[in-house]
Amino acid sequence: GDDESDSDGADAPSTPDDAIDMIEGVIAAVDELERDSDGDVLVFFSGENEIRDAADALRGHFQKRGARGAATEVLPLYGRLSAAEQHRVFERPAPGIRRRIVLATNVAETSLTVPGIRSVVDTGTARISRYSARAKVQRLPIEPVSQASANQRSGRAGRTSDGIAIRLYSQLDYEKRPEYTDPEILRTNIAAVILQMISLGLGDIERFPFLQPPDRRGIKDGVDLLLELGAIEKRGDELRI
């Protein structure tokens, strides 16, 4: 069965193993929440494609339920939507709509607050930006979210009153996850940071007191890229724009 918990993040196990199972898990969780809780539901997905597939599946599910299903509105929320489409999430529901299911990326985790949310369904994944030093490219792999992100997601349930959070992964899975997401400076190409530091005259990059210092390989990759682009030049041990 699905994991059901209060908004502090305690839960019990459930395991969807692929995209189809995940969507089936979301539909089952949404139906369970309809029985146990009033108010709107926020569902976290890793990206736009997953949201589109789930939106189609949920709309088809509610259409089969006739008038009762027609009272539920499914609203996607991701960065590539137009401003007007994104704004629908923050508007009052149309007459006859008694429940909204908002399908969002991790933009709804910390960047904005969706009003009226009483329940959360967390699929447990997100697209995390990571730089591949070997391939020299920035990637967006889908990864399990950290414990801190999972707790942040659960905390979106019932911010003004008691809420319910359903996690579509097990307590054991949760406990195996890293406590926090790696800081961005440790998982992205820092060429832009290095360029700005050189411009501001902040001195030796390797000796700068970062709160989370990047490793030497990351610094070297950033410097090499800037040199290759002709953005900086090296004179002795000194880097200049």
Side-chain angles (χ1 to χ4, degrees):
D2 299 304
D3 307 348
E4 182 169 333
S5 70
D6 58 23
S7 58
D8 68 6
D11 55 2
S14 138
T15 54
D17 292 326
D18 54 38
I20 295 174
D21 286 344
M22 179 190 69
I23 290 174
E24 290 176 351
V26 168
I27 291 173
V30 165
D31 284 348
E32 183 176 335
L33 288 169
E34 186 177 26
R35 293 190 295 270
D36 296 341
S37 173
D38 296 324
D40 297 344
V41 181
L42 175 60
V43 188
F44 283 99
F45 290 91
S46 57
E48 177 182 339
N49 290 339
E50 294 81 6
I51 287 175
R52 287 181 172 182
D53 290 344
D56 289 343
L58 281 164
R59 286 169 181 148
H61 174 69
F62 290 126
Q63 283 176 1
K64 293 176 183 176
R65 298 172 60 183
R68 186 177 177 187
T72 299
E73 183 178 25
V74 178
L75 294 173
L77 180 62
Y78 51 85
R80 279 163 46 91
L81 281 174
S82 68
E85 289 176 303
Q86 292 186 41
H87 192 64
R88 288 178 60 198
V89 172
F90 305 97
E91 295 174 344
R92 288 184 176 275
I97 299 297
R98 65 179 185 83
R99 186 174 70 143
R100 298 188 305 174
I101 313 295
V102 179
L103 313 180
T105 61
N106 55 359
V107 68
E109 195 176 300
T110 55
S111 301
L112 53 84
T113 298
V114 180
I117 297 299
R118 290 290 304 277
S119 305
V120 162
V121 178
D122 180 13
T123 60
T125 59
R127 288 193 178 273
I128 307 294
S129 179
R130 290 198 183 274
Y131 177 68
S132 170
R134 179 177 297 177
K136 308 295 184 187
V137 294
Q138 195 76 32
R139 301 177 301 118
L140 279 171
I142 296 175
E143 299 180 2
V145 297
S146 66
Q147 292 182 18
S149 288
N151 294 341
Q152 185 72 37
R153 291 178 173 194
S154 296
R156 292 283 159 173
R159 293 177 68 83
T160 57
S161 59
D162 290 342
I164 297 174
I166 294 180
R167 291 179 178 155
L168 302 182
Y169 49 97
S170 70
Q171 178 69 21
L172 181 60
D173 185 344
Y174 170 84
E175 291 171 355
K176 287 181 177 178
R177 296 180 179 212
E179 190 173 357
Y180 298 101
T181 306
D182 293 337
E184 188 171 358
I185 197 168
L186 300 183
R187 52 183 172 82
T188 60
N189 184 293
I190 61 170
V193 174
I194 294 170
L195 186 62
Q196 189 170 19
M197 291 176 68
I198 295 171
S199 175
L200 294 172
L202 297 181
D204 188 342
I205 296 159
E206 292 191 16
R207 296 184 181 180
F208 187 81
F210 290 101
L211 291 176
Q212 294 282 349
D215 61 29
R216 288 187 176 183
R217 186 176 177 183
I219 293 173
K220 183 180 183 302
D221 278 352
V223 169
D224 288 349
L225 176 59
L226 292 172
L227 289 169
E228 186 178 343
L229 293 173
I232 62 173
E233 60 181 6
K234 192 170 186 179
R235 295 183 181 177
D237 292 332
E238 187 178 359
L239 298 172
R240 295 183 180 179
I241 291 178

